[in-house]
Amino acid sequence: MKKPKWVVEKEQARKAAGSETVWLFGLHAVRDALMNPRREKLRLIVTRNAQDKLAEAIAEAGIEPEQVDPRKFTAPIDPGSVHQGAALEVKPLSWGSLTEVCIGRAVEGAPPRVILLDRVTDPHNVGAILRSAEVLGASAVIGTRHHSAPETGALAKTASGALERQPYVRVRNLAEAIVELQGMGFLVLGLDGEAEQTIEAALEGRRDRPVVLVLGAEGPGLRPKTKDTVDQLVKIDAAGGFGSLNVSNAAAIALYASLSH
């Protein structure tokens, strides 16, 4: 019996995901990946100078580096990348289910906070959001499998090591993920500049609740389906005739506002 087309496509997608690799670059990103026992490391290309700087991490990872001439850096990364003489081929990290990362990794004694990204495609923005999420104790950052920034060297470099420690989960359908999180007891707040209530006002008397903050791409913002699915639309309390924030700055401020008393 011939398999339905959707079954074949799903199997092909799973196979492609299994063979997918990422090239990380830059001393900080490569060092943190080498030191991460969860990260599957495949190939390390370094200059002699970078190898000396990464000696401890290389020994910890137990990987045999390929030393190259700085003038002939052969790693398959963008020629304009600031690689600092180090590039590491790895498998993408697997963080597990939404329940495991959103509730299981919550900071002890604090209600979970999660950032959900609606089609934020710029890897530099996502990398910066991962840094803020780690600093402020968010359980996870969630994006979509399509139309969002995948794990890349540029994202890892901007995240400055946070990619190795801060869960970044990509889901198939954003609205379904929101409903699943609501089922876990999360209060889901969508950031919208036209909203009537601020984050602080929306959380008055409810700061002990687990909270998801949903942010859209700069310009388009949240999609209509997302707006319809969240529990409430909220805005950042801004002063006067204030312009819009970069999404990574908005994420940091929103997360801090949700935690402050």
Side-chain angles (χ1 to χ4, degrees), residues 70-114:
R71 294 163 296 183
K72 299 176 182 177
F73 198 76
T74 54
I77 59 177
D78 189 298
S81 301
V82 184
H83 54 71
Q84 299 173 293
L88 177 66
E89 185 182 17
V90 297
K91 289 277 192 179
L93 286 167
S94 175
W95 289 101
S97 69
L98 283 185
T99 303
E100 289 169 327
V101 295
C102 294
I103 293 179
R105 289 181 56 88
V107 177
E108 190 175 347
R113 295 293 185 261
V114 172

Side-chain angles (χ1 to χ4, degrees), residues 16-217:
S19 62
E20 181 185 357
T21 66
V22 181
W23 278 94
L24 306 179
F25 56 83
L27 291 173
H28 202 148
V30 168
R31 179 183 287 109
D32 284 325
L34 287 170
M35 300 290 284
N36 183 1
R38 292 173 54 97
R39 179 70 86 171
E40 187 178 345
K41 309 145 190 89
L42 305 173
R43 187 181 173 199
L44 175 63
I45 298 175
V46 287
T47 61
R48 182 177 178 179
N49 185 42
Q51 185 172 343
D52 290 343
K53 292 178 178 177
L54 294 170
E56 186 179 336
I58 292 170
E60 176 80 17
I63 190 170
E64 187 66 35
E66 301 171 31
Q67 193 180 110
V68 297
D69 188 303
R71 294 163 296 183
K72 299 176 182 177
F73 198 76
T74 54
I77 59 177
D78 189 298
S81 301
V82 184
H83 54 71
Q84 299 173 293
L88 177 66
E89 185 182 17
V90 297
K91 289 277 192 179
L93 286 167
S94 175
W95 289 101
S97 69
L98 283 185
T99 303
E100 289 169 327
V101 295
C102 294
I103 293 179
R105 289 181 56 88
V107 177
E108 190 175 347
R113 295 293 185 261
V114 172
I115 294 175
L116 200 155
L117 304 175
D118 187 1
R119 297 199 172 196
V120 177
T121 57
D122 186 334
H124 299 95
N125 276 331
V126 176
I129 289 168
L130 286 167
R131 289 183 73 177
S132 297
E134 181 183 27
V135 169
L136 294 170
S139 297
V141 175
I142 301 169
T144 50
R145 289 180 195 166
H146 303 290
H147 309 293
S148 71
E151 273 193 46
T152 61
L155 187 154
K157 197 166 193 304
T158 307
S160 193
L163 180 63
E164 303 302 319
R165 300 177 294 271
Q166 177 65 48
Y168 178 44
V169 181
R170 295 168 71 210
V171 296
R172 187 182 65 83
N173 184 288
L174 203 71
E176 289 178 5
I178 290 172
V179 171
E180 186 177 345
L181 287 161
Q182 287 166 331
M184 294 181 211
F186 278 88
L187 174 66
V188 183
L189 304 177
L191 272 287
D192 186 331
E194 302 300 315
E196 294 181 4
Q197 206 168 28
T198 64
I199 297 168
E200 292 87 348
L203 287 174
E204 189 67 39
R206 300 194 286 182
R207 290 186 181 275
D208 59 338
R209 289 277 305 274
V211 174
V212 177
L213 298 164
V214 191
L215 293 98

